[in-house]
Amino acid sequence: MLPPGEGNLTDKRPSPDALLRAATREARGQLKIFLGAAPGVGKTFEMLSEGAARLREGVDVVVAVVETHGRAETEALVAPFEVVPRRTIDYRGQALTEMDLDGVLARHPKLALVDELAHSNVEGSRHPKRWQDIVELLDAGIDVYTTLNVQHIESLNDVVASFTRVRVRETVPDAIFDDAEIEIVDIPPDELIARLKDGKVYVPAEATRALGHFFSKPNLSALREMALRQAAHTVDRRMLEDLDAGAVAGSFAAGERVLVAVSELPGADALVRTAKRLADALRAPWSAVFIETPRAEGFTPEQKARVAATLRLAATLGATIATIAAESVTAGLTAQVQAMRATQLVLGKSRRNWWFTLRHGSVVETMLDASDGLAVHVIPADATPHSAPKQRWVPPNIDPLVYLAIAALVAATTIVGLVAQPLIGSGPLDLLYLVPVIVAANRYGLAPGLVTGVLAALAYNFFFLPPVYTFTIADPQSVITVVILLGIATFTSRLTGATRSRAAIGVRNARVNADLAAFAQALTRVSDAHSTAETVVAETARLLDVNARLFVLRDGEPAMLAAVPPGDPLTPIDRAALDWAFARGEASGSATATLNGSDWQFHPLKTSLGILAVLGVARSDGGDPVPSDHAMLLANLVAQASLAHERLHLESEVRELSVLKERDRLRIALLSSIGHDLRTPMTSVRSAIGALAAEQPASEPVRVAQAEVQRLERFLGNLLSMVRLESGALTVASEVIDLTDAIGGAVHDLRDPLRGKHIDLKVPASLPFVRADPKLLHQILINLLANAAEHGRAEGTITVEGRRESDGITLTVRDDGPGIDPALGNRVFDLFVSGAGSDRAGGSGLGLAIVKGFADAMNVGVSAANHPEGGAAFGLKFREVVSG
């Protein structure tokens, strides 16, 4: 049991924030996401099946949009529902359909089935993303069932791409899961692979390619684990909110949460490292907490420094750190366990003498008794003799004026007693002596209060207990009176001293909170990097009474952005510590574990975007830049400064993105205008030259003019193709293609530019067919062959080689020219890039960019390299192979 008045792990009141979130959810529609690891696991089937069950229960259910992909079984499941007709949108001359959001809102069913949460709407829709349509339906009070694959979650997009080598462009923000119910739709990888082979997910040709890449068994297993973890994380968060709203106590260990208690004793750093290893093993979030009790007021500087160093270590290892003021360690730990619903508690067991345990109790024993469902890990403290040097008792500072005032209080009380004794008798006089004890304890603290109690007892005995004017006590009852008087004095002094300590802690915490609030407000009033840096260093210098500097990276080198006060340049060791903070993202310099010979202590401003700046602090007298009692304040200042710099960086990126979008819009408009304006005169020129060629077929100028017209037509075609690419109007219609025929058609169309060149065709007749868009592939081959003709030797050889590989078919077009500038590499595919050996020197910079764009649209790999035998080699990797 916990000591009286400290509560226990079952005492809890509803969380106002959780109640507010629950009330907000009640006012909106409910969202349920059928989450799968990959296409083909049956998300749409499960959504429709559950919707049908609700329909049979009498619930008003409609299909807002469901993608059947031509599967008969899916279409049969849709049949019982009322389907809201889709809205037709005219997009660049094509009629496309999307969910009719206004139609669903007007129909206002109880439940709407909306397939493919991550879908991007056609331009011209009210919202660019389908998840935004769903948010509007939820705001209107309509429940929604929807489907999603785990790779479309924004925070997991990079992780999925790292092992699947496929980056999906349609993502949904993680916030969509905040108020959603998750249902995992899962089948084993072997069963999904069997479905692929049976053609139940993709057509056979696509399934063959998919099995060799995205749908490999290791990928499916990893995606399955990610989906399960995402669902568990969402369920755990919702469960905690429901528990907080209902004031339900307990840890409810659906997800592990680790808490380590930090103390002032040696060995606390070992506790933090143990908690880190435990959190890593459980893959759980963890926190480190120091409970600031009234006893902390009496810590030595070494003890305070040890607490600060341990908390810094925990923060470096990835923990969330906190300092909590409480009446006792057990009360503070209990509150923190309740707040974070900790499931694992790491405590240190130190060797305490019996007198300390009697006065303060055993934290380990108390938490073990109170832990209901909480796993408590007790780690023995370092017991080596040198680890905790015995501290000698140091008498408190004695202010003679204080004890002179105490003596005067007791003397005044005695005089009042002597005057009042003839009127009230001797009985009530013992109570009169409580007045100076209470006054002294309240004004001067514990020790003066105890001294006052002793003096009051002696004065009462000497002047009022018979025989008077002696310290002898004749009546045994009078002995009890003196003992009670001393006991009351002791109790009152201790109570008052504890109250004073708690008040001091409360005042300090309130001051720190006020300082942090003022710092945050100051940061919100600035909107540029220089002003933000000046605010950060000015407030840090003022609040911590230190010198402060802020550094950012410019051209890869640290540069000082602001300083208070301005000072001398950094020394070499200071510079090394600063470089370390930028490179490693760890605190360095004075009073740290790295380069502590520096006068400065550097703290990186770490954000989700990386390390944006480093804050340096130093003390003019060369002492510890951050005393232990300011460690938490500095940590919060660094955190808020990090957020401010991240905000500035994101705002800058948004502004740059807006400029880029406007520039791209103007460029597309310009290219489109030029392409269309050139088409009419080009037609006239081609007709005129054709007429001249009919009259003078052997004329060399006419032949040259014809070749140049063809080259201009190719340029015009590239220009219009680039407009299609950048405007998003490109559509892909894949067909089964024989590469030999495709290459033959491209060579035929380029017969004039290729005249004089030898085409070495190394494409085996047995090479399987591939799936690709014939028009786009033709344009790719035209551009690659034209590029080889232009940059190879005048009467050289162009080699076209096709070969079968384990993961597809590779087609290589190689010239015998000077090759590609090694400095460019794959940048030769960038728009308008030109240089020695690129699209190359003297080209328009469009041809290879279009090759890259068309290849990406068809999911065909493209590469550029110099061939060992000389010349440039451009490769196409076809992953969709049609066997047989």
Side-chain angles (χ1 to χ4, degrees):
M1 298 293 293
L2 290 176
E6 293 187 356
N8 53 54
L9 294 182
T10 61
D11 294 336
K12 190 169 179 65
R13 288 178 289 181
S15 165
D17 291 337
L19 288 173
L20 180 60
R21 286 192 295 268
T24 303
R25 282 198 299 267
E26 289 297 325
R28 303 175 74 238
Q30 302 300 307
L31 175 64
K32 183 172 184 177
I33 300 175
F34 293 85
L35 182 65
V41 297
K43 301 179 300 298
T44 302
F45 183 92
E46 187 65 25
M47 179 185 71
L48 291 171
S49 299
E50 189 158 333
R54 296 291 303 277
L55 186 65
R56 288 191 295 270
E57 294 170 0
V59 177
D60 183 16
V61 185
V62 302
V63 168
V65 59
V66 166
E67 304 295 346
T68 64
H69 300 290
R71 302 186 186 106
E73 59 271 23
T74 306
E75 293 174 352
L77 287 173
V78 175
F81 296 97
E82 175 188 346
V83 179
V84 178
R86 297 194 186 190
R87 176 186 172 211
T88 301
I89 301 176
D90 183 16
Y91 180 71
R92 301 185 182 275
Q94 297 184 8
L96 303 177
T97 61
E98 288 289 359
M99 180 181 73
D100 187 358
L101 178 58
D102 290 324
V104 179
L105 290 171
R107 173 63 176 76
H108 204 282
K110 173 61 180 173
L111 173 62
L113 308 183
V114 184
D115 206 5
E116 296 186 359
L117 175 63
H119 173 77
S120 295
N121 293 329
V122 175
E123 185 178 333
S125 303
R126 182 183 309 174
H127 302 296
K129 298 290 185 179
R130 184 167 290 170
W131 66 263
Q132 295 170 313
D133 295 338
I134 290 178
V135 169
E136 188 167 345
L137 293 177
L138 295 174
D139 290 338
I142 300 173
D143 295 345
V144 175
Y145 285 177
T146 188
T147 61
L148 182 70
N149 288 327
V150 69
Q151 65 265 30
H152 293 285
I153 300 174
E154 179 64 42
S155 62
L156 302 179
N157 186 257
D158 291 341
V159 181
V160 173
S162 68
F163 61 84
T164 64
R165 301 295 187 269
V166 177
R167 182 182 294 276
V168 295
R169 293 180 174 85
E170 296 178 323
T171 60
V172 298
D174 290 57
I176 202 73
F177 288 88
D178 289 348
D179 296 325
E181 179 184 350
I182 305 298
E183 179 173 325
I184 287 290
V185 183
D186 184 40
I187 61 175
D190 290 335
E191 186 175 337
L192 179 56
I193 290 173
R195 295 192 65 195
L196 280 165
K197 291 180 178 178
D198 293 340
K200 296 180 179 180
V201 180
Y202 295 124
V203 297
E206 293 178 342
T208 301
R209 181 190 65 81
L211 286 170
H213 296 85
F214 187 88
F215 283 84
S216 65
K217 190 171 181 179
N219 284 355
L220 292 177
S221 298
L223 290 169
R224 189 183 187 197
E225 180 182 0
M226 292 178 68
L228 293 172
R229 286 186 179 278
Q230 178 67 31
H233 175 72
T234 303
V235 170
D236 184 60
R237 185 180 63 249
R238 286 291 301 274
M239 178 196 66
L240 294 180
E241 290 183 2
D242 293 340
L243 293 176
D244 290 340
V248 180
S251 59
F252 290 81
E256 299 290 349
R257 294 169 290 277
V258 179
L259 176 66
V260 57
V262 171
S263 72
E264 79 285 1
L265 298 175
D269 55 341
L271 290 182
V272 168
R273 294 187 179 93
T274 300
K276 168 63 174 174
R277 292 193 296 271
L278 178 62
D280 286 346
L282 297 174
R283 296 187 179 181
W286 66 295
S287 300
V289 62
F290 171 67
I291 308 301
E292 189 175 19
T293 64
R295 192 173 65 86
E297 289 290 300
F299 282 177
T300 63
E302 292 78 11
Q303 290 173 322
K304 293 179 179 179
R306 190 177 296 120
V307 170
T310 305
L311 290 176
R312 281 199 298 267
L313 173 63
T316 301
L317 295 177
T320 301
I321 62 174
T323 298
I324 296 177
E327 294 184 7
S328 67
V329 173
T330 52
L333 277 179
T334 300
Q336 187 67 3
V337 167
Q338 290 177 343
M340 67 174 291
R341 299 276 181 176
T343 61
Q344 308 278 339
L345 177 62
V346 180
L347 294 173
K349 177 65 175 176
S350 59
R351 293 186 175 183
R352 302 283 197 178
N353 57 49
W354 67 271
W355 176 239
F356 183 93
T357 304
L358 180 64
R359 288 183 297 153
H360 301 285
S362 171
V363 175
V364 171
E365 295 296 332
T366 304
M367 296 306 298
L368 285 172
D369 291 341
S371 60
D372 183 11
L374 176 69
V376 181
H377 302 261
V378 181
I379 311 299
D382 187 0
T384 55
H386 62 275
S387 63
K390 186 176 180 180
Q391 295 179 353
R392 296 181 178 180
W393 179 79
V394 179
N397 293 328
I398 298 177
D399 185 353
L401 294 178
V402 170
Y403 292 95
L404 184 62
I406 289 172
L409 278 173
V410 175
T413 303
T414 301
I415 294 173
V416 172
L418 291 172
V419 173
Q421 184 179 19
L423 302 176
I424 62 176
S426 300
L429 293 180
D430 53 348
L431 299 178
L432 189 64
Y433 278 98
L434 291 178
V435 175
V437 172
I438 295 173
V439 171
N442 184 57
R443 183 172 180 82
Y444 302 117
L446 177 61
L450 291 175
V451 172
T452 306
V454 172
L455 291 178
L458 292 175
Y460 177 66
N461 178 19
F462 188 82
F463 289 101
F464 299 104
L465 292 180
V468 295
Y469 308 121
T470 69
F471 291 105
T472 303
I473 303 176
D475 187 355
Q477 293 183 355
S478 299
V479 175
I480 297 175
T481 301
V482 172
V483 171
I484 291 175
L485 183 62
L486 285 172
I488 292 175
T490 302
F491 175 78
T492 305
S493 299
R494 286 182 58 84
L495 180 62
T496 306
T499 302
R500 285 167 59 87
S501 297
R502 284 194 293 270
I505 292 174
V507 169
R508 185 170 65 250
N509 289 338
R511 184 170 60 250
V512 169
N513 291 335
D515 290 338
L516 289 174
F519 182 62
Q521 290 179 354
L523 289 177
T524 59
R525 290 193 293 266
V526 293
S527 58
D528 61 274
H530 190 266
S531 299
T532 299
E534 289 184 338
T535 301
V536 169
V537 297
E539 291 297 306
T540 301
R542 181 181 67 84
L543 295 176
L544 300 178
D545 191 24
V546 294
N547 300 336
R549 295 181 181 181
L550 192 80
F551 300 86
V552 297
L553 286 178
R554 287 179 179 169
D555 299 326
E557 293 294 328
M560 187 171 65
L561 198 59
V564 172
D568 298 330
L570 297 179
T571 64
I573 191 171
D574 295 336
R575 191 80 175 186
L578 175 61
D579 292 338
W580 179 279
F582 269 114
R584 299 296 184 90
E586 300 174 0
S588 61
S590 176
T592 69
T594 305
L595 299 170
N596 53 20
S598 170
D599 293 332
W600 287 82
Q601 187 178 101
F602 297 100
H603 295 267
L605 304 188
K606 293 190 287 187
T607 70
S608 59
L609 304 175
I611 299 171
L612 301 182
V614 168
L615 176 64
V617 292
R619 200 167 292 279
S620 301
D621 57 10
D624 186 352
V626 186
S628 56
D629 54 346
H630 286 163
M632 287 303 300
L633 176 58
L634 175 63
N636 282 286
L637 292 175
V638 169
Q640 291 200 32
S642 300
L643 290 175
H645 280 78
E646 184 177 30
R647 172 179 59 83
L648 287 176
H649 191 81
L650 291 175
E651 289 177 352
S652 175
E653 286 190 343
V654 168
R655 287 193 294 268
E656 291 177 2
L657 182 60
S658 299
V659 173
L660 288 175
K661 288 177 67 176
E662 181 62 19
R663 188 179 69 186
D664 286 345
R665 187 188 67 80
L666 292 174
R667 184 173 65 183
I668 291 172
L670 178 61
L671 291 176
S672 179
S673 176
I674 292 174
H676 287 89
D677 289 346
L678 285 177
R679 177 169 290 178
T680 299
M682 279 297 301
T683 302
S684 301
V685 171
R686 183 175 62 249
S687 300
I689 293 179
L692 286 175
E695 295 177 1
Q696 305 176 27
S699 173
E700 179 64 17
V702 172
R703 190 186 65 78
V704 171
Q706 282 183 315
E708 291 302 310
V709 166
Q710 290 175 356
R711 190 165 71 90
L712 286 173
E713 285 181 330
R714 289 198 302 275
F715 172 76
L716 179 60
N718 285 338
L719 199 60
L720 295 176
S721 296
M722 184 55 62
V723 172
R724 292 168 61 205
L725 272 174
E726 297 208 342
S727 63
L730 186 67
T731 57
V732 178
S734 295
E735 298 178 7
V736 177
I737 294 175
D738 184 342
L739 287 178
T740 304
D741 293 342
I743 296 168
V747 171
H748 178 270
D749 287 352
L750 282 177
R751 57 188 179 278
D752 289 337
L754 295 178
R755 186 174 287 111
K757 299 283 187 180
H758 173 63
I759 306 298
D760 186 6
L761 190 61
K762 297 180 179 180
V763 181
S766 60
L767 205 63
F769 293 169
V770 298
R771 290 190 65 87
D773 186 303
K775 294 181 180 178
L776 300 185
L777 179 58
H778 183 75
Q779 188 69 37
I780 288 175
L781 294 174
I782 288 285
N783 284 351
L784 289 180
L785 289 170
N787 184 74
E790 184 174 354
H791 300 288
R793 288 188 292 111
E795 307 227 343
T797 299
I798 298 175
T799 303
V800 182
E801 181 181 0
R803 61 183 181 274
R804 179 70 184 266
E805 297 180 347
S806 60
D807 56 346
I809 292 177
T810 299
L811 184 69
T812 304
V813 178
R814 178 164 62 94
D815 61 44
D816 54 1
I820 302 171
D821 185 351
L824 287 176
N826 275 342
R827 287 185 55 240
V828 294
F829 294 112
D830 292 348
L831 190 61
F832 300 129
V833 168
S834 61
S838 78
D839 178 304
R840 263 160 29 215
S844 65
L846 286 175
L848 294 181
I850 290 170
V851 168
K852 173 68 172 173
F854 283 4
D856 288 345
M858 295 188 297
N859 196 25
V860 172
V862 62
S863 62
N866 286 324
H867 196 272
E869 298 178 5
F874 294 89
L876 299 174
K877 186 59 169 287
F878 297 90
R879 302 184 180 93
E880 297 190 35
V881 179
V882 182
S883 300

